[in-house]
Amino acid sequence: MANHKNSNSNPNFPSLKQVRERLGMTQEQFAQEIGITSRTIRNHETGANQLKLSLGQFKRLKELLEQAGMSIDDLPDDID
């Protein structure tokens, strides 16, 4: 997954940070909902690390996207 500084990222696609903010969640809340640490979210949002999810975590992310009124198809192949 790309970091947020990637010049190839499409500004028309939401970042995970935008999804989190649209849900009105803190990094801690978003991380807990997905089943990862808040440090992982923080590192991903700053571009320090790529986000790697298990299948269960990915399914939960999909549910959160739907709660935000979005589809998994709204995300780019490389989530920034």
Side-chain angles (χ1 to χ4, degrees), residues 54-65:
S54 69
L55 183 56
Q57 292 165 334
F58 183 77
K59 287 180 179 182
R60 182 61 187 137
L61 175 59
K62 181 180 179 290
E63 292 170 359
L64 290 171
L65 283 165

Side-chain angles (χ1 to χ4, degrees), residues 5-36:
K5 297 172 188 164
N6 183 345
S7 62
N8 295 327
S9 61
N10 185 336
N12 296 320
F13 286 121
S15 67
L16 285 184
K17 181 178 181 180
Q18 290 169 318
V19 172
R20 177 180 63 75
E21 290 174 342
R22 186 169 180 170
L23 290 166
M25 292 182 171
T26 65
Q27 290 177 335
E28 292 78 17
Q29 292 168 325
F30 193 66
Q32 186 174 24
E33 285 290 327
I34 296 174
I36 57 179

